[in-house]
Amino acid sequence: MPVLVGTSGWQYPHWRGRFYPERLSASRWLEHYAQRFQAVEVNSAFYRLPEASTCEDWAARTPEDFVMAVKMSRFLTHMRRLREPAEPVARFLDRVRHLGSKLGPVLLQLPPRMKADAGRLAAALDCFPRCVRVAVEPRDASWFTDEISELLSAHDAALCIADSPWFKPPFRRTATWAYLRFHAGRATPSPCYGGAALRAAAERLAAAWGPGADAYVFFNNDGAGCAVRDAIVFARAAERAGLSATRVPPRREVRVG
């Protein structure tokens, strides 16, 4: 599988005129996006689980090769803090299974300052069937230990490599596949990334996983249209680093600022 590149969500009103044509109805934005990218991360599921009918609708409106990574509900990660995971995970999976073959990885983003708890994490990971890939994005340094890495490896779960100016986890491989998130760069206009930073990230991905990299890369820096532009730049950098990236739109279709 190639490196699947996309953005964290597609329903951003401020992308009108930057990525979406001015006259295009918002009800057609998913189709426009999916014709230009092969993957998206559904961030909205963190706040509210999509209905089964919504997942079926998304699947029907996108191409056969489209992949949707989905962020786990905050009910499990932030309210229960991974305690008693069986029911929340089962409810979540009962909804997203309606994406069918288009269901990609599930992202568990943990709360800031939540300290490492191998027991809770193991119990949560055990609730997912092996056919569902899980990425874990801790936001406290206590999680970056050999014990947690070994736990993730035992489940073939990816330590999410998340980049932001505020918190940077180690670039550590824990699974046969990779999951990268870009939250905010330091270039102009904010929160865009500079080309050098994206080239360096693509080269690190290639070095850690090799030319057959099986990776998901999403840009969460939606402000000013940066995410769309940066996804394009990263895909081109990945190709130059010897990786195979999925489709991205022509640069001329995107305006930032």
Side-chain angles (χ1 to χ4, degrees):
M1 185 185 293
V3 178
L4 287 99
V5 182
T7 64
S8 297
W10 71 91
Q11 298 165 308
Y12 296 110
H14 52 275
W15 284 6
R16 185 183 294 278
R18 291 187 170 98
F19 176 51
Y20 298 121
E22 290 282 1
R23 295 175 179 265
L24 182 67
S25 168
S27 65
R28 304 298 297 174
W29 284 358
L30 178 57
E31 287 84 348
H32 183 93
Y33 178 98
Q35 289 169 3
R36 288 155 178 81
F37 290 101
Q38 191 175 326
V40 73
E41 183 184 78
V42 183
N43 248 345
S44 58
F46 175 76
Y47 301 100
R48 182 177 181 179
L49 282 182
E51 297 293 336
S53 58
T54 299
C55 292
E56 291 173 351
D57 179 62
W58 289 342
R61 292 166 56 197
T62 51
E64 287 298 318
D65 63 356
F66 197 66
V67 175
M68 304 186 87
V70 187
K71 192 172 179 180
M72 182 70 199
S73 168
R74 62 179 174 173
F75 179 68
L76 173 63
T77 57
H78 286 56
M79 296 178 185
R80 287 198 173 177
R81 299 173 80 85
L82 299 183
R83 296 184 184 93
E84 301 177 351
E87 189 277 332
V89 171
R91 179 155 37 98
F92 176 87
L93 292 176
D94 186 58
R95 300 287 183 89
V96 300
R97 67 181 175 85
H98 292 276
L99 291 171
S101 62
K102 297 178 182 180
L103 175 61
V106 173
L107 174 68
L108 300 183
Q109 185 188 68
L110 304 182
R113 296 176 296 282
M114 178 179 171
K115 299 300 181 183
D117 189 315
R120 287 191 209 174
L121 179 59
L125 293 175
D126 284 341
C127 293
F128 290 90
R130 282 287 182 162
C131 61
V132 176
R133 286 176 160 173
V134 180
V136 180
E137 183 181 0
R139 292 187 288 169
D140 186 274
S142 63
W143 291 91
F144 306 128
T145 64
D146 290 343
E147 179 188 15
I148 297 299
S149 292
E150 290 166 6
L151 171 60
L152 293 171
S153 294
H155 289 81
D156 196 34
L159 175 66
C160 176
I161 300 167
D163 181 90
S164 78
W166 314 284
F167 189 74
K168 294 182 187 296
F171 206 99
R172 182 175 293 180
R173 176 173 178 166
T174 65
T176 56
W177 55 287
Y179 199 101
L180 280 66
R181 301 185 85 212
F182 292 86
H183 290 292
R186 297 178 180 274
T188 301
S190 179
C192 284
Y193 282 84
L198 296 177
R199 287 192 297 272
E203 290 165 1
R204 292 188 74 183
L205 176 63
W209 273 267
D214 186 359
Y216 303 82
V217 180
F218 296 109
F219 286 84
N220 194 32
N221 56 329
D222 60 274
C226 291
V228 183
R229 195 279 307 275
D230 291 350
I232 297 170
V233 175
F234 183 90
R236 300 296 180 235
E239 295 279 358
R240 289 192 293 272
L243 304 176
S244 176
T246 50
R247 63 178 173 270
V248 293
R251 176 66 183 84
R252 65 179 179 275
E253 290 190 11
V254 181
R255 179 178 63 84
V256 299

